Amino acid sequence: MEFINRLINALVDVHPLHSMTVHFPIALTGTALLFLVLALWRRNEALEQAAFYLITLSAVSTIVAGLTGYRDYMIRFEGDAPLVNVKIFLGVTLFGLTTVIALTRWRRSEILWRPSTMILYLSAFAGSFGLATVLGFLGGVILYGF
Amino acid sequence: MTDSFWKTGAPSPRRQDLLWPSLTQALRQLGIVAVMAVVWGVLLLGYLGLTGGQPAEVMGGDSESTLAVVSPTDTPVVALPSPTPSPTPIPPTPTLVATAEPTIQETSVPGAEPSPRPTHTPVPSPTPTPSPVLPTPTQTPAPVPEALETPQVSFAADVLPVFQRRCRNCHGGEKTEEGLVLSAYPDVMTGSWNGPVIKPGNAEESYLVEMVASGKMPKKGPRLLPSEIQAIRDWIDAGALDN
C-alpha cells in the first residue's frame, strides 16, 4: 500500500507529466516514417497501413503531450518558462500536420502509391518527425540549458 | 500475387503496379513542400514577432533573460486546441508589492481581514472608499509595506530543502566541489575556496543566485524551478538569516 501511494505520488506530484508523455509523439512519428519508407521499399501495403495507424496515434498522443505540457508550464513553472511561445507554435503545427495526414490518408488510401502524391505524403511524415524532435530538443533546453 | 513476410512466412500483399514519380511530378511536389515550408516559416516569425518571443536571444540567454522571455501577458490565446484558452491568471511574483495596499476590492470576502500578503494582482487604487479621512483600521498603510517587502522565507523550511535535494551530491555529503558545502547554514555562509557565494540582503550580487538563475548549477540535471530560485532570492534579500 505504502509503495502504491508513493508510486502515485511520484507520478502525479513529483515527476513532470509532460516529460513522460512527449515520448509518444516522438516515437510514433519516427516509427511512422520508418514504416512508410519500408512500405515503399518493400512495396508492401500492410506496412503502409501500419504507418497510417502510427501517424493517427501520434496525432492523438500530441494532444496529450500538449495538454500536459501546458499544465506543467502553468503549475510547475508558474507560467514562467523559456521558449514556450515557440514550443506552442510547433506543437500546434505538429498536431495539425499529423491530423491532416491521418484524415487525408483515411479518405484517399492510395495516396502513397500515386506518383503525383508520393513525395508529398513522405515529406509530411518526415516533417512531423522533424517537428517532434525539434520540440523535444527545445524541451531539453528548458530543463538542461543550452 | 502475394509475397511473404520475412521469417514469419505470413502472406504480405506486394504491389506490382508501383510507379515512381516522373521528374515533373517530383518537382511539382517538392515545390509544394517548399512553398508550404516558407509559408509556415513566415507564420512562425510573425507569431514570434507578435508574442515577443525571440528565439535567438533565448537560446544564448543567460540568467534573467532566459527566464523572463515569456511574460504572463505573452501567453498566446491560441495556445492549444483545448476549449479553454488559459483561463488561469498567472499570479505575479511577490517581489515589488510594496506599493500595493490591501484594499477592499482585493479580498473578495467583504469584512474579511486583509491578508498580509496579496495573492492576486494588487491594485494600487488610491481611494477605495469615498471618504479616506475616516480612520478605518484597514486604511492605515503605515505598517503594511514593511510586512510586504520581505515575503516570509525561512532558511530551514524553504531554502535548505532545495539545497539538500539538488546540490547535496556535489556540495556536501561526500563531495564538496570547489570547497562549497551547502548542507548547513554556517557552511552555506562560508562559501567556497573563492570566498562567500551569498551576499546577505543582495540577491542580485550573490554568486550562488547567478549560478542557479543561469542554469549553470546544478551542474548536471534539470534547473531549479522558478519558485525555488525565487525562494533563494527572497531569503537572501531578507538578510540571509538562519531562520
Side-chain angles (χ1 to χ4, degrees), chain B residues 54-230:
Chain B
Q54 283 155 336
E57 214 176 89
V58 180
M59 302 295 259
D62 249 6
S63 61
E64 266 72 45
S65 65
T66 316
L67 289 172
V69 177
V70 185
S71 77
T73 45
D74 285 347
T75 323
V77 191
V78 285
L80 280 172
S82 78
T84 53
S86 69
T88 347
I90 300 141
T93 41
T95 40
L96 284 168
V97 283
T99 48
E101 307 163 2
T103 57
I104 315 284
Q105 295 107 299
E106 241 180 78
T107 48
S108 50
V109 192
E113 270 198 308
S115 64
R117 272 191 280 168
T119 46
H120 282 283
T121 52
V123 190
S125 59
T127 52
T129 46
S131 53
V133 206
L134 285 174
T136 338
T138 50
Q139 293 299 311
T140 51
V144 181
E146 234 179 310
L148 287 175
E149 212 154 357
T150 55
Q152 287 299 307
V153 186
S154 144
F155 177 73
D158 302 314
V159 177
L160 193 58
V162 177
F163 288 163
Q164 300 207 312
R165 218 170 335 116
R166 303 300 311 281
C167 321
R168 215 195 51 174
N169 284 350
C170 307
H171 302 287
E174 284 173 23
K175 280 196 208 162
T176 52
E177 294 288 357
E178 209 72 10
L180 179 63
V181 180
L182 296 174
S183 45
Y185 180 79
D187 301 325
V188 173
M189 299 314 286
T190 303
S192 71
W193 294 326
N194 308 317
V197 292
I198 282 167
K199 216 172 176 187
N202 193 341
E204 280 322 304
E205 287 187 16
S206 298
Y207 192 47
L208 186 142
V209 171
E210 196 187 314
M211 299 297 268
V212 293
S214 63
K216 291 201 184 102
M217 289 293 148
K219 199 164 178 69
K220 288 178 193 145
R223 300 173 171 215
L224 298 189
L225 297 175
S227 57
E228 294 171 335
I229 298 176
Q230 195 59 49

Side-chain angles (χ1 to χ4, degrees), chain A residues 40 42-47 66-67 70 73-74 76-86 88-90 92-93 95 110 113 115-120 123 131 137-138 141-146, chain B residues 3 5 12-16 18-21 25-26 29-30 32-33 40 43-44 47-48 51 53 58-59 66-68 70 74-76 78-82 86 88 90 221-223 225-227:
Chain A
L40 209 53
R42 305 297 302 163
R43 303 185 183 191
N44 189 311
E45 285 177 353
L47 293 174
L67 290 178
Y70 198 66
Y73 164 58
M74 293 307 266
R76 293 183 70 85
F77 283 88
E78 298 174 348
D80 187 12
L83 294 167
V84 168
N85 277 344
V86 192
I88 288 175
F89 189 90
L90 297 187
V92 170
T93 316
F95 173 69
E110 288 286 298
W113 308 114
S116 58
T117 47
M118 184 187 288
I119 295 176
L120 272 182
S123 310
L131 279 171
F137 171 75
L138 293 181
V141 171
I142 293 181
L143 284 185
Y144 306 107
F146 181 69
Chain B
D3 207 358
F5 273 111
S12 92
R14 184 178 169 96
R15 290 191 76 101
Q16 303 301 325
L18 185 72
L19 277 180
W20 297 104
Q25 280 172 327
Q29 293 177 64
L30 290 174
I32 295 173
V33 170
W40 180 80
L43 281 177
L44 173 61
Y47 169 81
L48 291 179
T51 53
V58 180
M59 302 295 259
T66 316
L67 289 172
V70 185
D74 285 347
T75 323
V78 285
L80 280 172
S82 78
S86 69
T88 347
I90 300 141
R223 300 173 171 215
L225 297 175
S227 57

